[in-house]
Amino acid sequence: MDLAEKINNLLPGWIKGSRPEGGIVLSSRIRLARNLRDFPFPHHAGEKKLEEVIALVEKALEKPAPDKSRLRLVRLDAMDQLDRMVLLEKHLISPNLVKNPAHRGVVLRDDESVAIMINEEDHLRIQTMLSGLQLDKAWELADKYDDYLEGTLDYAFDENRGYLTACPTNVGTGLRVSVMVHLPALGMVDQVKKVLAALTHVGLNVRGVYGEGTESIGNLYQISNQVTLGHSEEDLVGKVVSLTRQVVEQEETARQALLNESRMQLENKVYRAYGLLTQSRLLTSNEAMHLLSDLLLGVETGLVPAVRPQAVKELFLLIRVAILQQLIGRELQPEERDYYRAMVIREHLN
Amino acid sequence: MDLAEKINNLLPGWIKGSRPEGGIVLSSRIRLARNLRDFPFPHHAGEKKLEEVIALVEKALEKPAPDKSRLRLVRLDAMDQLDRMVLLEKHLISPNLVKNPAHRGVVLRDDESVAIMINEEDHLRIQTMLSGLQLDKAWELADKYDDYLEGTLDYAFDENRGYLTACPTNVGTGLRVSVMVHLPALGMVDQVKKVLAALTHVGLNVRGVYGEGTESIGNLYQISNQVTLGHSEEDLVGKVVSLTRQVVEQEETARQALLNESRMQLENKVYRAYGLLTQSRLLTSNEAMHLLSDLLLGVETGLVPAVRPQAVKELFLLIRVAILQQLIGRELQPEERDYYRAMVIREHLN
């Protein structure tokens, strides 16, 4: 199997879809927190109870899945650490599940646009992920899987408070709505902090996707709702969609300003990134993320027509440490990673 | 006329020749200082005397030139400043002649491997330039043109002191023997200062070709003899050849050490240079020189087989300010130069 084939097998289905909103919104994600009635929350549950939860979910999956999708339940304690890390880097499971794999599982739809974590903070975390700004669709998909499971499982639900969750901040809808956005132009014109700070004042959370706290590597940010209680699911989704559209507009304005006022400098920047990405023999993760961000801006603004935007977006994932090792087929020493990272980038951009 | 054709027309003939000594010695140069008997040295001569010198040289050129070469005498005060700067950047005339063009001239052989300055510090400065380490050939060529002119002109010569020159340091043979060497590997392993300092202890001068004093941009150095008196021409040439060969050997040892001990880092460095040179849209002279130096090292060590070494060597010349403007066909504002420099480099490397 050659590298291109391996890459194709490794990429989650959601990343391959169409991308509305001009590539500024890389992905949309919905998460529903659900728990089973009369079961202690996972952090209070003993092994026996945790196993019972897994068994109940396994049983629920015997019913045909929505849209005749194929689902498989994977036990995290039956995988090796590298495979768990790959799921983490594909945004299908949480760090929590990687750290504590015993009696934990995840249900994956074959295209990986649906991933249901079992015995994370809550008994069930139904997650859907789609490319671009498609929160409505992602919400519909999550809702469908929620109904599917609720057809068999007995959820912990309270008339007044809604769905009960292990952490009070999730009580109510149990809904987390989020998007991953790429804001390189706002970064270049030093506006990104201002724009993102404004979002936190209207009830959204913002954090860098990679990097510590609100710092971002590669200008990638995750925007999500803070409150899950007191609003309908549709309202929460609608709010994130409309505020994300505002961010998209601001990024587009910044891109247009760069094109109008310093086109040559921008062209220089994005082509330098292209030159380094296609020729370097060693690339650290940090440098690669910066360069991919520059290149994606160049591709999305039409300055670098030779490169498929999809390829760059995919590389944000493919260069992660575990995915990279999965691609190469063995564990890599830290000093080897920069070499193989550069190789994968070269191959994938050609 | 397209750019490639313009480049071909602009490049001096000597640069296109074969290159002995593995590309470490970029060029060999001989200069003979000669003066006419009974004429004051140029800095003491009035306009009338200077014009008489030019007229005498013009007359001497009526005799068929060695090897039936075509020679032309160009008056510097009949050229515009840009054309004078181009001759300077091609190493055919000195800064002195650019600054004081009145009553000055240069005789050029059509392939520009011979350039005879008139009324520089001395009445005549016979210069020959060849690619690679070919000092013997360059000396033969200079000697031939010296004989050719001496056949008609009456040189100021003293039985005891040899050829008389305006500056006492040139008295004797009037000979300056020099090579331009490219020492990137010695630079990388921090040995270049040591190696070059050793040369000054055995009577050679060393200076950076571009840049101030002994600092070099692009790892290019000029090595030449200090003394012109008390040795035969052949001895002086032989001494520079043999010491240059030692430098070449040291550079080759350093290259081999880099290949053996840090091949991947070296490969990374030279391919990064290649990526930036072929993709940047803006390149300052300094950055371009550094990158061309890295790339040339990569090409000469076989790491970058796709690039012709000759093309890189030519670019050291083509990106100089005046030559660049000549290529583009008009005067360039400082901020435009980086753009056109990057363009010429991209075109010439493809």
Side-chain angles (χ1 to χ4, degrees):
Chain A
M1 187 158 57
D2 70 357
L3 189 62
E5 218 176 321
K6 279 187 192 163
I7 286 174
N8 196 46
N9 289 346
L10 245 171
L11 286 170
W14 61 262
I15 214 175
K16 299 177 192 164
S18 70
R19 302 194 300 141
E21 313 300 327
I24 292 169
V25 185
L26 296 193
S27 60
S28 297
R29 183 192 182 99
I30 293 288
R31 183 267 281 158
L32 292 170
R34 298 290 184 259
N35 288 280
L36 302 189
R37 194 184 298 273
D38 300 330
F39 275 80
F41 291 128
H43 60 287
H44 284 138
E47 293 183 12
K48 198 166 149 277
K49 285 292 173 188
L50 292 172
E51 287 298 333
E52 279 180 45
V53 172
I54 296 180
L56 282 170
V57 174
E58 200 159 19
K59 182 113 190 80
L61 297 182
E62 288 172 6
K63 235 179 39 181
D67 311 318
K68 297 179 185 160
S69 300
R70 289 183 48 202
L71 303 178
R72 63 189 170 108
L73 190 156
V74 192
R75 289 188 66 102
L76 290 164
D77 45 15
M79 307 173 84
D80 61 27
Q81 178 68 1
L82 181 63
D83 289 331
R84 286 192 287 266
M85 286 296 298
V86 168
L87 290 181
L88 174 69
E89 291 178 356
K90 286 162 113 177
H91 306 287
L92 299 173
I93 65 170
S94 64
N96 190 353
L97 251 59
V98 174
K99 258 179 282 175
N100 306 300
H103 315 296
R104 267 75 186 171
V106 61
V107 178
L108 297 170
R109 195 164 90 162
D110 53 1
D111 69 353
E112 295 179 344
S113 61
V114 179
I116 303 160
M117 289 190 283
I118 307 172
N119 293 330
E120 216 263 4
E121 189 180 287
D122 299 292
H123 295 137
L124 296 173
R125 291 240 162 151
I126 303 167
Q127 309 167 100
T128 59
M129 198 148 177
L130 295 174
S131 65
L133 183 52
Q134 303 192 76
L135 280 173
D136 294 333
K137 274 199 186 168
W139 157 244
E140 275 170 36
L141 191 62
D143 193 31
K144 206 183 275 183
Y145 275 80
D146 188 32
D147 290 348
Y148 165 66
L149 292 173
E150 202 169 12
T152 312
L153 300 171
D154 192 11
Y155 280 170
F157 183 80
D158 177 283
E159 277 300 325
N160 294 318
R161 289 178 292 171
Y163 292 100
L164 303 180
T165 56
C167 176
T169 59
N170 291 319
V171 166
T173 57
L175 176 67
R176 174 79 78 236
V177 181
S178 64
V179 289
M180 195 200 295
V181 291
H182 180 230
L183 306 177
L186 286 173
M188 280 179 206
V189 300
D190 258 341
Q191 291 278 310
V192 75
K193 286 212 169 122
K194 212 184 78 185
V195 167
L196 297 178
L199 292 178
T200 64
H201 292 310
V202 292
L204 296 192
N205 268 322
V206 177
R207 63 173 185 84
V209 175
Y210 307 104
E212 296 295 310
T214 53
E215 289 303 308
S216 158
I217 300 170
N219 302 299
L220 296 172
Y221 297 90
Q222 191 186 64
I223 299 173
S224 62
N225 61 315
Q226 280 171 7
V227 181
T228 61
L229 186 69
H231 300 275
S232 75
E233 286 86 347
E234 285 75 10
D235 281 358
L236 288 171
V237 169
K239 181 179 178 181
V240 175
V241 168
S242 97
L243 288 169
T244 298
R245 288 231 165 89
Q246 285 180 29
V247 173
V248 167
E249 211 168 281
Q250 286 167 303
E251 170 68 15
E252 274 170 350
T253 304
R255 290 181 182 193
Q256 204 51 57
L258 286 172
L259 282 170
N260 292 343
E261 288 152 34
S262 41
R263 186 187 180 93
M264 184 47 59
Q265 285 69 20
L266 184 63
E267 211 171 315
N268 186 45
K269 192 183 179 78
V270 302
Y271 270 101
R272 278 172 178 256
Y274 182 57
L276 288 173
L277 287 166
T278 51
Q279 298 296 344
S280 294
R281 263 50 183 173
L282 297 170
L283 278 166
T284 65
S285 172
N286 253 13
E287 187 186 9
M289 292 295 284
H290 283 295
L291 295 173
L292 287 171
S293 173
D294 286 349
L295 178 57
L296 187 55
L297 176 62
V299 173
E300 296 286 353
T301 49
L303 292 172
V304 189
V307 175
R308 287 181 310 118
Q310 190 61 17
V312 186
K313 190 185 158 195
E314 288 165 0
L315 281 170
F316 280 127
L317 264 192
L318 293 171
I319 63 170
R320 312 308 307 160
V321 172
I323 293 182
L324 187 64
Q325 298 185 74
Q326 189 91 331
L327 273 180
I328 303 308
R330 64 178 176 87
E331 213 178 301
L332 298 174
Q333 298 306 306
E335 61 274 16
E336 290 180 301
R337 292 175 195 161
D338 293 348
Y339 171 77
Y340 284 105
R341 185 178 293 110
M343 192 193 80
V344 166
I345 291 173
R346 281 203 309 282
E347 295 269 326
H348 203 55
L349 287 179
N350 283 334
Chain B
M1 187 157 56
D2 70 358
L3 189 62
E5 218 175 322
K6 278 188 193 163
I7 286 173
N8 196 46
N9 289 346
L10 244 170
L11 286 170
W14 60 262
I15 213 174
K16 299 177 192 164
S18 70
R19 303 195 299 139
E21 310 304 324
I24 292 171
V25 185
L26 296 193
S27 60
S28 296
R29 183 193 181 99
I30 293 288
R31 182 267 281 159
L32 292 171
R34 297 291 183 259
N35 287 279
L36 303 189
R37 194 184 297 273
D38 300 330
F39 275 81
F41 291 128
H43 61 289
H44 284 139
E47 294 182 11
K48 200 168 147 277
K49 286 288 174 192
L50 293 172
E51 288 299 334
E52 278 180 45
V53 172
I54 296 179
L56 282 170
V57 175
E58 201 159 18
K59 183 112 188 77
L61 298 182
E62 287 171 7
K63 235 180 36 181
D67 310 319
K68 295 179 187 161
S69 299
R70 288 183 48 202
L71 303 177
R72 66 191 166 106
L73 190 157
V74 192
R75 289 187 66 101
L76 289 164
D77 45 16
M79 306 173 86
D80 61 26
Q81 178 68 3
L82 181 62
D83 288 331
R84 285 192 286 265
M85 286 296 299
V86 168
L87 290 182
L88 174 69
E89 291 178 356
K90 286 162 112 175
H91 306 287
L92 299 173
I93 64 171
S94 64
N96 192 354
L97 251 58
V98 173
K99 260 180 280 174
N100 307 300
H103 315 294
R104 266 77 187 171
V106 61
V107 177
L108 297 171
R109 195 164 90 162
D110 53 1
D111 70 353
E112 296 179 343
S113 61
V114 179
I116 303 159
M117 291 190 282
I118 308 171
N119 293 330
E120 216 263 5
E121 191 179 286
D122 298 292
H123 294 139
L124 295 174
R125 291 245 165 146
I126 302 167
Q127 310 168 100
T128 58
M129 199 148 177
L130 294 174
S131 65
L133 183 53
Q134 302 192 76
L135 279 173
D136 294 332
K137 275 198 187 170
W139 157 244
E140 276 170 36
L141 191 61
D143 193 32
K144 203 182 279 182
Y145 276 81
D146 189 32
D147 290 347
Y148 165 65
L149 292 173
E150 202 168 11
T152 313
L153 300 172
D154 192 10
Y155 281 169
F157 183 81
D158 177 283
E159 278 299 325
N160 293 319
R161 289 177 293 171
Y163 292 100
L164 303 181
T165 55
C167 177
T169 59
N170 291 319
V171 166
T173 56
L175 176 66
R176 174 79 78 236
V177 181
S178 65
V179 289
M180 197 199 296
V181 291
H182 180 229
L183 307 176
L186 286 173
M188 280 179 206
V189 300
D190 259 342
Q191 292 278 312
V192 75
K193 287 211 168 122
K194 211 184 78 185
V195 167
L196 297 179
L199 292 179
T200 64
H201 292 308
V202 291
L204 296 192
N205 268 322
V206 178
R207 63 173 185 86
V209 176
Y210 308 104
E212 296 295 310
T214 53
E215 289 302 309
S216 158
I217 300 170
N219 303 300
L220 296 173
Y221 296 89
Q222 193 187 62
I223 300 173
S224 61
N225 62 315
Q226 281 171 7
V227 181
T228 61
L229 187 68
H231 301 275
S232 74
E233 286 87 348
E234 284 76 9
D235 281 356
L236 289 171
V237 169
K239 180 178 180 183
V240 175
V241 168
S242 97
L243 289 168
T244 299
R245 287 232 164 90
Q246 285 180 28
V247 173
V248 166
E249 210 169 285
Q250 287 167 305
E251 170 68 17
E252 273 169 352
T253 304
R255 290 181 183 193
Q256 203 51 56
L258 286 172
L259 282 170
N260 291 343
E261 289 152 32
S262 42
R263 186 187 179 92
M264 184 47 58
Q265 285 69 22
L266 183 64
E267 208 171 318
N268 186 45
K269 191 182 180 80
V270 302
Y271 271 101
R272 280 172 177 255
Y274 182 57
L276 288 172
L277 287 166
T278 50
Q279 296 296 342
S280 294
R281 264 50 184 173
L282 297 171
L283 278 166
T284 64
S285 171
N286 252 13
E287 187 186 8
M289 292 294 285
H290 283 295
L291 295 174
L292 286 171
S293 173
D294 287 349
L295 178 58
L296 187 54
L297 176 62
V299 173
E300 296 286 354
T301 49
L303 292 171
V304 190
V307 175
R308 286 182 309 119
Q310 191 60 18
V312 186
K313 188 185 161 196
E314 287 165 1
L315 280 170
F316 280 127
L317 263 193
L318 293 171
I319 64 170
R320 312 308 307 160
V321 173
I323 292 181
L324 187 65
Q325 298 185 73
Q326 189 92 330
L327 272 180
I328 304 308
R330 64 178 175 86
E331 213 178 299
L332 298 174
Q333 297 306 306
E335 61 274 16
E336 291 179 299
R337 291 175 195 162
D338 293 348
Y339 171 78
Y340 284 105
R341 185 178 294 111
M343 192 192 81
V344 166
I345 291 172
R346 281 203 308 283
E347 295 268 329
H348 202 56
L349 287 178
N350 283 335

